[in-house]
């Protein structure tokens, strides 16, 4: 059976899988990778990546491959105040090393085969940079009914506290406190 290529997959994302022997044959000669990737599922609870534009320079240095460049992450998210959909983009600096026997959290493992797929490394960067609590704008005040609570109470409250009594608390009026 032939595996169908996903319709959502950007045709250019194949550029993010680079030929290792070619890189290693030319140590010290950087190879530029300019590509974009539409990940199928790269998200946090309230935000998801829609497109990642990549411009990376790869270079074989001794037994390692260095990846230096930038990624522009385009995301959509839910505004934490009004809960409406919002979107934005975040620029990510890429400065990573691929090597055999990588140290966890510091470098990435160099694959044994001939292909170096940059997507898992990019996915990790994206997850670190997706907004956890996005705002549609700095001045977003949220929906109308919660906005009410942020305003100060009308000035006549102090003069006529009875007017603003919440009926749900009326049972408390029955309570009598004595000094005995
Ligand atoms: Zn908002």
């Amino acid at each position: 059976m032939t595996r169908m290529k996903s319709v959502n997959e950007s045709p250019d994302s194949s550029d993010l899988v680079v030929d290792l022997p070619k890189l290693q044959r030319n140590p010290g000669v950087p190879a530029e990778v300019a590509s974009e990737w539409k990940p199928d599922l790269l998200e946090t609870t309230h935000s998801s990546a829609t497109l990642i534009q990549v411009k990376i320079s790869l270079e074989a240095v001794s037994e390692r491959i260095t990846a230096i460049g930038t990624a522009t992450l385009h995301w959509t998210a839910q505004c934490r105040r009004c809960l409406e959909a919002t979107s934005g983009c975040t620029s990510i600096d890429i400065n990573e090393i691929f090597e055999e026997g990588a140290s966890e959290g510091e470098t990435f493992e160099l694959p044994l085969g001939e292909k170096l797929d940059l997507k898992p490394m990019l996915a990790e960067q994206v997850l670190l940079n997706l907004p956890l609590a996005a705002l549609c704008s700095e001045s977003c005040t949220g929906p109308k009914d919660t906005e009410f609570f942020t305003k100060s109470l009308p000035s006549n409250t102090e003069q006529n506290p009875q007017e603003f009594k919440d009926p749900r608390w009326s049972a408390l009026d029955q309570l009598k406190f004595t000094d005995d």
Side-chain angles (χ1 to χ4, degrees):
M1 251 175 77
T2 336
R3 193 175 157 263
M4 297 293 289
K5 198 174 172 140
S6 162
V7 185
N8 293 327
E9 204 173 320
S10 162
D12 290 330
S13 71
S14 59
D15 293 344
L16 293 172
V17 181
V18 295
D19 192 52
L20 266 181
K22 196 174 158 190
L23 262 179
Q24 286 160 335
R25 269 199 306 273
N26 301 292
V29 181
E32 306 292 332
V33 176
S35 183
E36 50 183 43
W37 174 34
K38 284 181 190 168
D40 283 337
L41 194 70
L42 209 49
E43 59 186 21
T44 67
T45 314
H46 298 295
S47 58
S48 61
T50 52
L51 176 71
I52 298 134
Q53 293 168 308
V54 185
K55 205 166 184 301
I56 290 181
S57 176
L58 294 170
E59 193 176 327
V61 180
S62 317
E63 301 296 301
R64 303 158 145 197
I65 302 288
T66 59
I68 298 169
T70 53
T72 306
L73 161 64
H74 297 257
W75 47 262
T76 56
Q78 189 183 41
C79 172
R80 72 166 185 260
R81 290 184 192 152
C82 68
L83 307 183
E84 294 293 325
T86 182
S87 61
C89 63
T90 305
S91 181
I92 306 171
D93 285 328
I94 307 284
N95 194 342
E96 301 297 340
I97 291 167
F98 292 85
E99 63 180 357
E100 278 178 42
S103 10
E104 199 177 332
E106 288 175 34
T107 57
F108 289 88
E109 189 65 37
L110 200 59
L112 294 171
E114 302 201 327
K115 299 289 176 195
L116 171 61
D117 188 352
L118 298 172
K119 293 198 286 294
M121 179 272 286
L122 289 169
E124 201 168 298
Q125 305 283 347
V126 165
L127 289 176
L128 287 171
N129 284 279
L130 275 172
L132 293 175
L135 284 178
C136 61
S137 77
E138 285 299 327
S139 57
C140 175
T141 53
K144 285 278 177 288
D145 48 337
T146 58
E147 194 178 354
F148 172 78
F149 295 111
T150 65
K151 285 182 183 159
S152 52
L153 287 167
S155 58
N156 59 352
T157 312
E158 278 168 38
Q159 287 120 49
N160 301 302
Q162 297 297 318
E163 254 180 65
F164 292 89
K165 219 175 221 176
D166 188 320
R168 287 172 296 181
W169 295 104
S170 61
L172 294 178
D173 293 340
Q174 312 306 317
L175 292 174
K176 297 279 183 253
F177 296 98
T178 60
D179 290 333
D180 304 337

